[in-house]
Amino acid sequence: MSQILSAVRRTTRGRSAAEYEDLDEHVTESLPSATSVPRQLEDHYDNHIAEADEIEMTSVSVVPDDTFTVTQAVNAFGFGRFQVKLSLFTGLCWMADSMEMTILSILSPALHCDWHITRYQQALTTTIVFLGMMLSSTFWGNLSDRYGRKQALTLCAVLLFCYGLLSSLAPNFLWILFLRGLVGFAIGCVPQSVTLYAEFLPTKQRAKCVVLLDCFWALGACFEVLLALIVMPTLGWQWLLALSTIPLLAFALITPWLPESARFHVASGQPDEALATLQRVAKENGKPMLLGRLVVDDSATLAPRGRVTHLLHSELRKTSLLLWFIWIVCAFCYYGVVLMTTELFETSCAEQSRTVADLECAADCKELSTRDYVDLLWTTIAEFPGIFATVFVIERCGRKNTMAVQFIIFTICISFLFVCTDNRVFLTIMLFLARGIIAGVFQAAYVYTPEVYPTPLRAVGVGTCSAMARLGAMVTPYVAQVLMQSSLMFATAVYGLAALLAAVACFFLPIETKDREMVETVAQRS
């Protein structure tokens, strides 16, 4: 009845008294039957409501139950301008990290010539960086899960720039060790940029985008080699260290524009902040904001955050242990190839037949030549085809199978280096293939790890895996720079065996994350 009255009010509003009298005279003619009046008015009202709903549906997206989650929102907004900007921001962070890592293969030979350090001291120069990274990775993961990804990355950028610049002013070997250790401590936070990036990616594009992020790593490595080719012959390693901090400065300046993860806000019990971030994503991507209320899972907000011990609970223990071993082998083999490249180019087979003691007493040094830098650049470029191959395979075969098969292919490639040869073309091709494959494994691991851990433990999960990776990187200089000088076959066999064991570990991972949503609690993993 109220519907009829409201409709009558709308039709009679604004009419004059004469019009009302006319209505009275012809009422029987204008109203065919008493029963048809309510039906006509009801149909008229329904048509108006339907038209209004149609207009409203064209301007906003509606979730049937008037609620939505962060995952639904991110998938609805898709990959757009917001993700492109975030790709550039986090990519710059990866470039800076890559340049600091590539320096390791150039700095050690330079210090050997300038300060006459021994082989073990050269290895220590590399190890100290990874020691700092290992000790700090869990710290940064804890910080990210407790206070936010953005806060941790901002502090990391400032510290990394300061320590990198101070390294160029080191007066002696002890100071360079101390400062490079601090550089490693700051670099330990860089993997959290992947955590932040992955939490804003739609499910279907997540694997592809995280793998393609490695293009910035490869660009940074290539840029560092080119910079060394220009700077080292004239200005020396001090200027190389100083100029390599430029991307770090740029990243430090843009961190105020980094967004905080909406998933972190939800896990922290801050739905208003999460909603504001999602509105920003929708606006920049040109998509309508979802109607309804943002759902916050109470179990996610009450879950423990930033605790390493919870990674070893019964639901996560097998996954964590296997991932730790896989990450150890990834870094062990990747940085082994990087360091092995300069060693194989710098030393001939005749020199490799000398004992380690002979090498320790050798006062002469051999600086990297222009040809060495060019060949190093070629092996660095190998990461690009490795990245694209991983993008092609990972969405078809899954994360676990991709990592396992790539480990096996890496073993085959490294086996061709068992026999010492001075054929530079052969060495370059084998190192090219090995580095491309192991770079792909690393990126597949970076895709899988954030996907398999729930939001309250995602940053600390990635941070702990990164810490394990640095443990493998700490060991690899003593194989690639020391052991290889006495037995090339033994050194390469160590890398091949480690990769095979890691391939087996990949097959035993309990969960395949392909086409699965990022979860907020451990219970949602099953």
Side-chain angles (χ1 to χ4, degrees), residues 193 266 341 375 417 455 526:
S193 63
V266 167
T341 301
D375 289 339
L417 298 176
T455 298
S526 57

Side-chain angles (χ1 to χ4, degrees), residues 23-319:
L23 279 172
D24 291 335
E25 294 174 0
H26 303 284
V27 65
T28 55
E29 296 178 1
S30 60
L31 297 176
S33 66
T35 57
S36 63
V37 172
R39 186 176 302 164
Q40 291 176 0
L41 292 175
E42 185 176 354
D43 292 341
H44 180 70
Y45 175 82
D46 291 339
N47 290 335
H48 278 293
I49 296 299
E51 291 175 2
D53 287 343
E54 185 177 357
I55 295 173
E56 187 177 26
M57 287 292 290
T58 60
S59 60
V60 294
S61 300
V62 180
V63 179
D65 60 356
D66 293 330
T67 62
F68 62 91
T69 63
V70 173
T71 298
Q72 289 174 323
V74 170
N75 286 334
F77 301 151
F79 187 94
R81 181 182 176 187
F82 178 88
Q83 282 79 10
V84 171
K85 289 170 59 178
L86 189 59
S87 300
L88 296 176
F89 290 167
T90 53
L92 187 59
C93 183
W94 273 102
M95 279 189 66
D97 183 12
S98 175
M99 291 175 68
E100 291 296 327
M101 292 297 98
T102 306
I103 285 176
L104 298 177
S105 62
I106 301 170
L107 181 62
S108 294
L111 293 179
H112 176 58
C113 292
D114 278 13
W115 291 347
H116 305 294
I117 62 175
T118 64
R119 286 282 175 182
Y120 284 103
Q121 287 175 320
Q122 288 187 58
L124 184 60
T125 305
T126 302
T127 299
I128 196 68
V129 177
F130 292 119
L131 177 62
M133 296 168 73
M134 184 190 71
L135 295 177
S136 69
S137 292
T138 304
F139 164 78
W140 289 113
N142 184 295
L143 198 69
S144 297
D145 276 333
R146 289 179 179 271
Y147 302 105
R149 287 70 160 124
K150 177 180 178 178
Q151 303 299 328
L153 286 171
T154 301
L155 180 59
C156 156
V158 175
L159 292 179
L160 192 52
F161 169 72
C162 294
Y163 295 148
L165 190 61
L166 289 174
S167 296
S168 64
L169 305 175
N172 53 51
F173 182 68
L174 290 179
W175 269 106
I176 197 74
L177 283 182
F178 175 70
L179 291 170
R180 297 308 293 175
L182 293 177
V183 166
F185 181 88
I187 291 178
C189 184
V190 172
Q192 300 309 325
S193 63
V194 178
T195 303
L196 176 65
Y197 183 56
E199 289 180 336
F200 278 110
L201 293 174
T203 302
K204 293 184 178 180
Q205 286 87 18
R206 188 187 306 126
K208 183 188 301 182
C209 293
V210 172
V211 173
L212 287 176
L213 190 65
D214 194 44
C215 289
F216 290 96
W217 176 282
L219 284 173
C222 293
F223 181 73
E224 185 64 32
V225 174
L226 290 173
L227 186 63
L229 177 61
I230 298 171
V231 173
M232 287 294 290
T234 55
L235 300 176
W237 59 268
Q238 290 93 343
W239 276 97
L240 179 65
L241 291 179
L243 294 174
S244 297
T245 61
I246 294 176
L248 294 171
L249 177 61
F251 180 70
L253 294 176
I254 66 172
T255 49
W257 285 272
L258 277 177
E260 183 53 87
S261 169
R263 295 179 187 272
F264 166 77
H265 283 313
V266 167
S268 303
Q270 302 171 340
D272 293 337
E273 288 79 356
L275 189 61
T277 301
L278 292 176
Q279 289 172 343
R280 173 183 171 185
V281 177
K283 181 180 179 181
E284 293 195 22
N285 284 3
K287 296 294 180 68
M289 183 61 191
L290 298 182
L291 281 181
R293 177 175 56 87
L294 176 62
V295 176
V296 179
D297 192 339
D298 292 336
S299 59
T301 60
L302 296 176
R305 293 183 290 125
R307 297 182 182 179
V308 178
T309 55
H310 288 88
L311 299 177
L312 295 176
H313 279 189
S314 57
E315 299 88 350
L316 294 172
R317 185 182 301 118
K318 183 178 180 181
T319 298

Side-chain angles (χ1 to χ4, degrees), residues 4-34:
I4 297 174
L5 292 174
S6 63
V8 170
R9 290 191 191 100
R10 286 196 302 269
T11 56
T12 60
R13 185 178 297 129
R15 294 187 175 186
S16 63
E19 289 174 319
Y20 282 117
E21 292 175 358
D22 187 64
L23 279 172
D24 291 335
E25 294 174 0
H26 303 284
V27 65
T28 55
E29 296 178 1
S30 60
L31 297 176
S33 66

